[in-house]
Amino acid sequence: MTATDRSIELINAAAQAAADRLAHDIIAYDVSDVLSITDAFLLASAPNDRQVKSIVDEIEEQLQKDLGVKPVRREGDRDARWILLDYVDIVIHVQHSEERVFYALERLWKDCPEIALPEDAVKTRGKAEEHAELTGRTEGDQS
């Protein structure tokens, strides 16, 4: 089983919206073979809580406007360190960069096929590391 065309359409729209809000390291996995509850995961991150929330708001707005869908569940708003949007067919994780490194969801899903994303989303790969270097932070810093 592979992700449906509708799931791929949702993933691509969400990835583009995240890229438009300058998300870092956007990647998507087809998890349909290992999970029965959803077809795909989209992962993205940002260097601060405000940007995490902005990315999530943009994804939600664009999917509603362009594809007429709303998430059935939104979790993590209070701290804005890791916000999850559940659209049933897809699940979107937008994490603060520190949570992204700590939880390393890519490690969990590395055996699942990656889903091809729009060029703008692909260009975000490595941005978290680049941002850390520019601000003088390393992965272990909590400042």
Side-chain angles (χ1 to χ4, degrees):
M1 182 188 261
T2 60
T4 65
D5 290 342
R6 178 64 172 170
S7 296
I8 302 294
E9 179 183 30
L10 292 169
I11 285 286
N12 280 296
Q16 183 62 54
D20 290 347
R21 284 286 184 243
L22 307 177
H24 295 169
D25 300 314
I26 302 169
I27 192 165
Y29 294 102
D30 180 338
V31 296
S32 61
D33 280 343
V34 294
L35 291 177
S36 60
I37 58 171
T38 193
D39 279 351
F41 281 164
L42 180 73
L43 310 176
S45 55
N48 61 62
D49 304 349
R50 186 183 306 168
Q51 191 174 359
V52 167
K53 192 154 176 39
S54 175
I55 292 164
V56 169
D57 290 344
E58 181 69 12
I59 291 170
E60 218 175 333
E61 183 179 318
Q62 289 306 312
L63 291 183
Q64 169 66 37
K65 186 177 98 182
D66 296 344
L67 301 172
V69 296
K70 291 182 180 180
V72 295
R73 190 174 67 202
R74 179 174 170 154
E75 295 181 4
D77 272 327
R78 194 167 60 110
D79 295 330
R81 302 284 293 178
W82 181 349
I83 299 177
L84 179 142
L85 294 173
D86 183 351
Y87 285 90
V88 180
D89 293 332
I90 68 168
V91 175
I92 300 166
H93 300 269
V94 182
Q95 299 173 295
H96 188 287
S97 298
E98 292 169 0
E99 269 67 13
R100 180 88 179 256
V101 169
F102 183 79
Y103 290 101
L105 295 179
E106 290 92 338
R107 233 184 13 222
L108 293 173
W109 305 110
K110 69 180 178 197
D111 294 332
C112 295
E114 263 188 58
I115 295 173
L117 297 175
E119 186 177 336
D120 289 344
V122 173
K123 287 180 183 177
T124 68
R125 308 273 171 89
K127 292 291 184 182
E129 187 175 315
E130 185 180 308
H131 181 267
E133 288 174 9
L134 288 173
T135 60
R137 292 184 182 174
T138 60
E139 287 183 359
D141 284 352
Q142 295 295 313
S143 55

